[in-house]
Amino acid sequence: MEELAHPYVPRDLKLPGYVPISMSMSSIVTIYLGSSLLVVFLVWLLFGRKKKAKVEKLLMCWFAFSGLTHIILEGYFVFSPEFFKDNTSAYLAEVWKEYSKGDSRYAGRDSAVVSVEGITAVIVGPACLLAIYAIAKEKSYSYVLQLAISVGQLYGCLVYFITAILEGDNFATNSFYYYSYYLGANGWWVLIPLLISFRCWNKICAAANNNVEIKTKKKTR
């Protein structure tokens, strides 16, 4: 049986049993954006009536979106090593066949990518959902947890981008997929965690300074 040609770079990447994508790019993106907006809407609706600052509601929406993306989307990739062979038009398999046009290391099961995505899906994903609870209930560990998650996401992105550079940074089908998928889709997990890390750092430092001032006042009495 003749092996079907795949659209990925490098062209000599071996993907025995490859089945072409059956869904259009617009359908895949529309479903993902639609489901993401639904999650954000439901979280905002659920916590909108509570007396929470707008930034905290936005953070809960981010962690819900981010956590479910890590667990469902990236979790599927980690535990479905032969998604490129799927012939059932399963949505999650189609997502990764499409995304691999921006980074063929996914279709090729690059060990660094699988490792980063595995840690993200199993540890960071559930931690994001815990962060929603921590923010909603104003738990004392909320800022520490948010900082840990954000640093973890930043570290994962650094490993992801640096390993690509070290391996030649030539895994995208063309410049469109390189900038829209490889850089564009992942850029949010650099920008937003950076902002959250900065905010949490300030909050933790402020709480620590306030605790020191309280202890100082008690000693001077």
Side-chain angles (χ1 to χ4, degrees):
M1 184 177 178
E2 186 179 351
E3 187 175 316
L4 291 174
H6 60 70
Y8 311 125
V9 173
R11 298 301 303 157
D12 60 355
L13 177 65
K14 300 297 181 183
L15 295 176
Y18 169 75
V19 175
I21 302 172
S22 59
M23 293 180 68
S24 66
M25 179 183 71
S26 60
S27 297
I28 292 171
V29 174
T30 298
I31 292 172
Y32 179 67
L33 289 179
S35 57
S36 298
L37 288 173
L38 178 61
V39 168
V40 170
F41 173 75
L42 290 175
V43 172
W44 190 273
L45 188 66
L46 181 62
F47 297 101
R49 296 178 182 177
K50 297 186 177 182
K51 294 180 179 179
K52 290 286 180 187
K54 185 175 289 186
V55 66
E56 292 181 328
K57 295 176 186 176
L58 289 172
L59 284 170
M60 285 190 280
C61 289
W62 163 252
F63 283 119
F65 159 74
S66 191
L68 292 176
T69 296
H70 292 329
I71 294 170
I72 298 173
L73 202 61
E74 295 166 62
Y76 176 85
F77 162 74
V78 172
F79 297 107
S80 302
E82 297 185 334
F83 66 85
F84 59 86
K85 294 182 180 181
D86 182 83
N87 59 2
T88 65
S89 297
Y91 176 72
L92 293 177
E94 295 292 287
V95 168
W96 289 113
K97 287 181 186 180
E98 177 65 23
Y99 181 78
S100 292
K101 293 178 182 178
D103 189 348
S104 64
R105 292 182 298 168
Y106 281 81
R109 301 297 291 179
D110 179 85
S111 58
V113 169
V114 174
S115 299
V116 169
E117 294 289 14
I119 294 170
T120 302
V122 175
I123 298 176
V124 181
C128 286
L129 302 186
L130 178 60
I132 300 171
Y133 169 79
I135 296 170
K137 297 296 183 179
E138 299 181 351
K139 294 295 182 178
S140 58
Y141 58 81
S142 178
Y143 293 120
V144 175
L145 178 61
Q146 291 177 56
L147 179 60
I149 292 170
S150 299
V151 170
Q153 290 174 326
L154 288 169
Y155 178 78
C157 286
L158 279 175
V159 173
Y160 177 66
F161 288 124
I162 291 172
T163 52
I165 293 170
L166 293 175
E167 293 173 11
D169 199 16
N170 184 33
F171 303 102
T173 303
N174 56 45
S175 58
F176 170 78
Y177 293 110
Y178 181 83
Y179 289 106
S180 60
Y181 289 0
Y182 177 69
L183 293 180
N186 292 291
W188 296 107
W189 273 274
V190 174
L191 176 61
I192 296 178
L194 271 175
L195 295 174
I196 293 174
S197 297
F198 181 74
R199 179 176 184 267
C200 290
W201 180 265
N202 286 336
K203 292 286 187 179
I204 293 169
C205 288
N209 289 334
N210 185 54
N211 189 45
V212 170
E213 289 177 4
I214 292 173
K215 287 182 178 180
T216 301
K217 288 180 180 178
K218 286 182 178 179
K219 289 180 179 179
T220 54
R221 286 179 182 177

